[in-house]
Amino acid sequence: MRVPLPAQVLQALSTLEEKGYEAYAVGGCVRDYVLGREIHEYDLCSAATPDELRACFAGKRIIETGLRHGTLTVILEGTPLEITTFRSDGQYSDARHPDSVQFSRSIEQDLQRRDFTCNAMAYSPLRGLVDPFGGVLACHRRQLKAVGDPEKRFSEDALRILRALRFASVLGFEMDEETAFAALRLSNSLDRISRERVAKELNLTLLGEYAADALRRYSGILIRTLPPLAPMPETPQKTRFHMYDLWEHTLQVIARTPPDLSLRWAALLHDSGKPAAMTVDEDGTTHFRGHPTLSAAIADDCLKGLKQPLRLTHDVHELVLYHDDRFGPDNLRKWLSKLGLDLLTRLLRLQYADIAAHAPAIARRADKTLELIPMAEALVREGACLSLSDLQVNGDSLIGAGIPKGPAIGETLRYLLEMVLDGKVENDKEALVDLAQEHMREIW
Ligand code: ATP
Ligand code: MG
């Protein structure tokens, strides 16, 4: 096997080898090469200790990323490269970080501490592939298999459980039976992982190409990190509008949304309020009145709990809150004015996915929602009046037309905008002034 490596990586590897230290590209880059996937970063490892690494790259810019654990970053021709000393990890007492690390001169030992066999491969142009645990085979089988005893490996570091979920989603892999069993059994220990790390892994999981499959297979792991979703898999949807139960419907919506973080989170959470909103008729028909408001509150809880950025939390809240509203050519300006083109476009994509994941009689209508996107774009392009500042009148012109100074001005402008958005008046100065005066007479 010959892995084509970028010039800076080759340079770093040969610098180390020339000084007598074994050196390899390792982990994700080797896995992604075997899978024929685009390689997005190259991590290197070497027999050189941190001090020896520093000496090898004397004169180059070095960032001491995690020197205690044997990691430093060298900048070669503008490209940062992370290089880690071969090591084996000591005891873990916090389900996340080794209490100590021992540097090692053996690549096999270094590979042994890595999480999954597909990630425990190293490659050097000089020495070829090092694959002591069958990583290539695991890639061909699309299998996530813990290196060593899965119970032990997940107990050492619970983040590996979420990494498994993430790799299942991104790569379309499945855990082998033993690994999956241990992951689920130990998923309680996910409580001990920092919320930020959980958020990072869940974000990557939601963006994965196989997100719906991974979340279907490993829903138990996901729910451990997002407890408000726990009732979803047991919630039926017995109405003629639906063909899936609540969880399968949710997964079908995720599968139909483009890989945008706010959209995927909104897809996951859009119906999370349904279990609490559910009522059942005598004939067994289910109703979920008012569920978007409850779902939006759950979305807030989940995203704030994970300390997600405010922007993401806000957008997901809006998408979830309005996912069930009615959108059409007649009210498009109103929605555009309320949400702006970017968020409205995402909302329409969410609603498309939602409708398409209903029973066929409903799903047939989904395209109608998508057709609104170019219409909204055209309204913006044509400079449609969407905000107070777009109105052909302002405070001064209203005062000139006899509207009293003070709060009446703002109130009248808002009224005029609403009438324009509803298509009840043209955005034309004379028409607006007339309407303003009429409105004034009505409210006095
Ligand atoms: P990607 O970069 O595509 O997200 P990766 O496999 O390169 O995936 P990184 O987080 O960059 O993942 O880690 C690099 C390598 O370090 C992994 O391939 C794996 O060998 C090892 N590794 C990372 N995190 C852990 C962990 N928590 N436990 C054990 N090994 C790990
Ligand atoms: Mg990586």
Side-chain angles (χ1 to χ4, degrees):
M1 192 170 104
R2 267 215 92 66
V3 183
L5 297 171
Q8 297 88 335
V9 173
L10 290 171
Q11 187 194 330
L13 293 177
S14 62
T15 302
L16 288 161
E17 291 279 359
E18 276 161 21
K19 299 261 159 63
Y21 305 111
E22 269 184 47
Y24 298 87
V26 69
C29 63
V30 184
R31 176 201 68 218
D32 288 344
Y33 174 77
V34 172
L35 292 171
R37 292 176 64 90
E38 196 189 326
I39 298 174
H40 65 95
E41 70 179 3
Y42 291 84
D43 295 318
L44 309 188
C45 64
S46 169
T49 63
D51 286 339
E52 290 164 345
L53 283 174
R54 259 195 305 224
C56 288
F57 295 99
K60 304 282 181 207
R61 238 188 94 205
I62 290 178
I63 306 167
E64 304 195 347
T65 328
L67 219 49
R68 226 165 49 83
H69 293 104
T71 303
L72 60 73
T73 303
V74 224
I75 317 283
L76 292 181
E77 287 158 39
T79 311
L81 277 179
E82 213 173 270
I83 312 181
T84 305
T85 304
F86 296 159
R87 60 173 224 230
S88 56
D89 295 337
Q91 290 291 311
Y92 286 74
S93 45
D94 67 349
R96 175 71 193 103
H97 303 98
D99 303 334
S100 63
V101 303
Q102 273 100 45
F103 297 132
S104 154
R105 298 285 186 187
S106 143
I107 179 66
E108 278 81 8
Q109 215 160 39
D110 184 77
L111 294 175
Q112 200 160 11
R113 72 169 173 89
R114 293 175 183 269
D115 49 6
F116 303 105
T117 60
C118 62
N119 289 341
M121 293 186 278
Y123 172 80
S124 122
L126 209 62
R127 300 162 192 278
L129 180 73
V130 186
D131 178 18
F133 306 107
V136 170
L137 186 67
C139 286
H140 288 146
R141 290 183 173 159
R142 310 193 82 78
Q143 192 172 64
L144 288 165
K145 185 174 165 56
V147 174
D149 173 19
E151 295 258 343
K152 177 163 175 281
R153 303 313 309 284
F154 290 139
S155 315
E156 288 169 352
D157 178 2
L159 184 68
R160 291 171 189 154
I161 300 172
L162 283 184
R163 285 173 58 86
L165 178 68
R166 187 241 292 190
F167 289 125
S169 169
V170 172
L171 305 174
F173 280 28
E174 231 181 281
M175 286 186 253
D176 71 340
E177 206 176 319
E178 241 189 303
T179 304
F181 184 77
L184 197 60
R185 203 181 76 73
L186 292 164
S187 57
N188 283 351
S189 53
L190 289 172
D191 298 349
R192 297 166 69 178
I193 304 294
S194 83
R195 298 298 89 191
E196 290 86 346
R197 292 307 298 252
V198 172
K200 180 176 166 241
E201 292 300 331
L202 290 187
N203 287 348
L204 291 168
T205 300
L206 282 171
L207 290 174
E209 189 180 343
Y210 306 91
D213 296 332
L215 297 177
R216 180 180 298 108
R217 204 165 269 133
Y218 306 122
S219 56
I221 297 175
L222 177 80
I223 284 167
R224 218 31 250 194
T225 64
L226 299 171
L229 308 197
M232 290 181 77
E234 283 106 59
T235 304
Q237 298 197 107
K238 294 219 164 49
T239 84
R240 62 198 161 85
F241 309 122
H242 278 285
M243 59 190 290
Y244 302 118
D245 65 20
L246 180 58
W247 188 237
E248 185 56 32
H249 165 74
T250 300
L251 299 173
Q252 295 286 338
V253 177
I254 291 174
R256 287 171 169 82
T257 45
D260 166 272
L261 201 52
S262 63
L263 260 176
R264 288 281 171 93
W265 271 107
L268 177 69
L269 298 167
H270 77 286
D271 278 351
S272 57
K274 275 190 170 178
M278 184 164 82
T279 57
V280 187
D281 288 352
E282 269 174 25
D283 67 355
T285 306
T286 51
H287 302 278
F288 305 99
R289 290 188 193 96
H291 77 273
T293 316
L294 298 177
S295 301
I298 292 177
D300 273 355
D301 274 0
C302 290
L303 295 172
K304 284 180 186 157
L306 291 173
K307 303 187 184 164
Q308 296 270 22
L310 287 178
R311 175 94 245 158
L312 179 67
T313 307
H314 166 270
D315 288 1
V316 174
H317 177 97
E318 303 279 286
L319 292 170
V320 170
L321 186 62
Y322 301 127
H323 80 269
D324 221 17
D325 276 62
R326 191 187 65 79
F327 305 95
D330 58 318
N331 65 15
L332 209 49
R333 282 165 187 253
K334 219 170 173 157
W335 281 106
L336 255 180
S337 162
K338 189 176 170 75
L339 302 176
L341 181 62
D342 179 45
L343 190 55
L344 179 60
T345 301
R346 279 178 279 159
L347 181 55
L348 293 170
R349 290 195 201 291
L350 174 66
Q351 188 169 76
Y352 162 79
D354 187 12
I355 296 176
H358 276 63
I362 305 286
R364 256 189 278 118
R365 296 186 212 147
D367 285 345
K368 284 261 168 284
T369 306
L370 275 193
E371 287 163 12
L372 297 173
I373 295 175
M375 287 188 211
E377 286 166 349
L379 282 171
V380 171
R381 211 171 35 240
E382 290 155 11
C385 169
L386 299 171
S387 68
L388 293 177
S389 60
D390 297 332
L391 282 173
Q392 290 297 324
V393 291
N394 58 20
D396 288 340
S397 39
L398 291 188
I399 292 165
I403 310 292
K405 277 188 188 169
I409 297 291
E411 194 276 329
T412 308
L413 284 170
R414 280 190 293 278
Y415 168 77
L416 293 177
L417 177 62
E418 210 168 295
M419 297 301 275
V420 172
L421 292 173
D422 281 344
K424 294 190 176 136
V425 63
E426 286 293 310
N427 184 22
D428 164 84
K429 185 164 180 185
E430 222 170 293
L432 291 173
V433 166
D434 285 351
L435 185 62
Q437 286 167 339
E438 193 183 306
H439 178 61
M440 248 5 247
R441 278 194 299 276
E442 265 168 31
I443 61 173
W444 282 105

